[in-house]
Amino acid sequence: MTDKVLLAFSGGLDTSVCVKLLEENYNAEVITACVDVGQGEEEMIKAKESAAKIGGLKHYNIDAKEEFANEYIARGIKANAEYEGYPLSTAFARPLIAQKLVELAEKEGATAIAHGCTGKGNDQFRFEAIILAMSDLDIIAPIREMNLTRTEEKAYAESKGIELTYDKIYSIDENLWGRAIEGDVLEDPANEPPEDIYEWTASWEDAKDEPEKVSIEFEEGVPVAINGEMMPLLNIIEKANEIAGAHGIGRVDIIENRMIGIKSREIYETPGAKLLIGAHQALEELVLTNSELRFAEHMSGLYAELVYRALWQEPLRDDLDQAIDNMQERVSGPLKTKKLTKETLKV
Ligand code: ARG
C-alpha cells in the first residue's frame, strides 16, 4: 500500500530529488507544498512549475506572508532578536512553514511530512521539532537518511529526467526578513565574498552618496508607518529593505555556531531588519528605564537563542513574550532621527 506524503517543496535540487526518492524508495504518493514567506513571486512560480513537471499528486502554494510579518517578525522586532548579528530570518520562518505543513497534511490525510534537509544544518531540527510537537505525523528526510551528496543528487536527478531550472552555486534561503547565502567559495572564511552574491544591498561603491533620513512610527513596539505613510507591517518591511539596501546596510558576514556544534560561514543580507530593529532600539532607549533596558538586553539574547534552536513551543518563549509585550506598551511614537549613511556600512 502506498502512503500519502506531504513534501515541503521549493523546486531546488534537494526537494526535486525528494519527489522521486519518495515515490521510488519510500513507496509514497507525493503531495508538494511551498509556503510563501516572502521568498519572491518568481520563486513561488518556479516551485509550482517544477512541481507540475516532476509530477507529484498535486501541489499547493500557500500564502503566509502577512502571518509571517505579524506573528513572527513583529516578535523579532519587539525582542530585538538577533543571533550572532543575524536577525533570524530563516529561523523565524520555519515554525510557521512547519505549522502550515501540518495543517495541510492533516487535511489531505497524509501520514508523513517529508523535507529535503541534509544532516548538517539547523532546519532539520526546526521542522521536526514543530511537526513532532504539533502532530502524530511521521517525518521522512530522504536526503539525510540516504546520506546523499550534492553530486549524487545531481546524478540521480539526471537519471530520472528531472529538469533542474537552474544550477545554483550557493545554497540560498530567502524570505521577507532576509537572504542567507552559504556554500562553495564562501565556506573558506579567508575568501572575500564575491560581489555577485548580493541582491538586496548595494556595495560601498554603489551605495547612495547622500545620507537619507527615515522616519518610522511605532505602536507598542511594532512599526506602523514609514516616512509618514501608514501601512501593514509586511509593506513596511519591504520598504525598509529597499531604503536601507540602497545605502548598503544589512550585510552580515559571520562564522555561525550551528545547533549541531559546527562552525559555518554564512552571509546575510538583511537591510530592513537592521533598520527596523535599530530604530526600535533607539526608541526603547528613550522610553524604557535603565533597569528595563538591562533586562530587555538580557531577554533579547535568550529570545534569539530560543528562536534559533526552534524552541518555539518552549514555555519560556511565552513567558518572554508576555514580559516583552508588557514593556512594549510604552514603546510607541514617531522616530525621525534614523539617518542612513555609508558610514554605517563599516564592518
Ligand atoms: N544559518 C541560518 C540558520 O540556520 C540560515 C540557513 C539558511 N540556509 C541557507 N541555505 N543559506 O538559521
Side-chain angles (χ1 to χ4, degrees), residues 56-122:
L57 210 52
K58 55 178 146 172
H59 175 82
Y60 289 89
N61 270 354
I62 303 168
D63 184 358
K65 293 194 291 292
E66 296 266 356
E67 208 172 329
F68 184 43
N70 298 333
E71 308 295 329
Y72 293 81
I73 299 178
R75 293 192 193 285
I77 298 171
K78 287 194 272 191
N80 303 317
E82 293 192 316
Y83 179 87
E84 300 177 343
Y86 150 52
L88 298 157
S89 43
T90 300
F92 267 116
R94 296 317 189 202
L96 175 59
I97 295 173
Q99 182 203 322
K100 295 288 171 202
L101 292 174
V102 168
E103 286 165 9
L104 182 60
E106 284 172 352
K107 192 180 113 204
E108 283 286 342
T111 52
I113 292 181
H115 62 71
C117 300
T118 65
K120 283 195 283 184
N122 295 325

Side-chain angles (χ1 to χ4, degrees), residues 86 88-91 94 121-123 126 171-173 180-182 256 258 264 266-268 308:
Y86 150 52
L88 298 157
S89 43
T90 300
R94 296 317 189 202
N122 295 325
D123 289 331
R126 296 186 179 136
S171 166
I172 298 173
D173 184 64
I181 311 127
E182 66 176 308
E256 185 172 312
R258 291 264 176 100
S264 169
E266 187 105 43
I267 311 251
Y268 298 98
Y308 191 79

Side-chain angles (χ1 to χ4, degrees), residues 108-171:
E108 283 286 342
T111 52
I113 292 181
H115 62 71
C117 300
T118 65
K120 283 195 283 184
N122 295 325
D123 289 331
Q124 50 177 335
F125 302 112
R126 296 186 179 136
F127 282 133
E128 294 178 15
I130 308 292
I131 295 166
L132 291 172
M134 284 187 69
S135 74
D136 292 325
L137 292 158
D138 287 334
I139 294 166
I140 309 177
I143 307 290
R144 182 182 69 200
E145 287 162 20
M146 299 178 66
N147 219 352
L148 296 178
T149 63
R150 267 184 102 73
T151 320
E152 286 165 344
E153 285 183 51
K154 280 184 192 160
Y156 179 80
E158 204 168 310
S159 74
K160 296 293 162 196
I162 299 173
E163 213 184 289
L164 294 166
T165 20
Y166 54 92
D167 193 11
K168 271 193 297 192
I169 308 173
Y170 306 103
S171 166

Side-chain angles (χ1 to χ4, degrees), residues 38-53:
Q39 55 270 59
E41 191 97 19
E42 241 173 72
E43 287 295 306
M44 297 307 296
I45 295 172
K46 188 187 94 184
K48 200 173 178 172
E49 287 177 355
S50 11
K53 270 195 209 148

Side-chain angles (χ1 to χ4, degrees), residues 85-90 172-181 194-203 241 244-246 248-253 266-274:
Y86 150 52
L88 298 157
S89 43
T90 300
I172 298 173
D173 184 64
E174 182 173 322
N175 66 44
L176 192 57
W177 205 221
R179 277 183 89 227
I181 311 127
E195 190 54 39
D196 67 2
I197 65 165
Y198 297 109
E199 285 186 6
W200 292 12
T201 52
S203 65
N241 276 330
I249 288 163
R251 290 187 176 185
V252 180
D253 179 350
E266 187 105 43
I267 311 251
Y268 298 98
E269 285 189 283
T270 171
K274 290 291 175 186

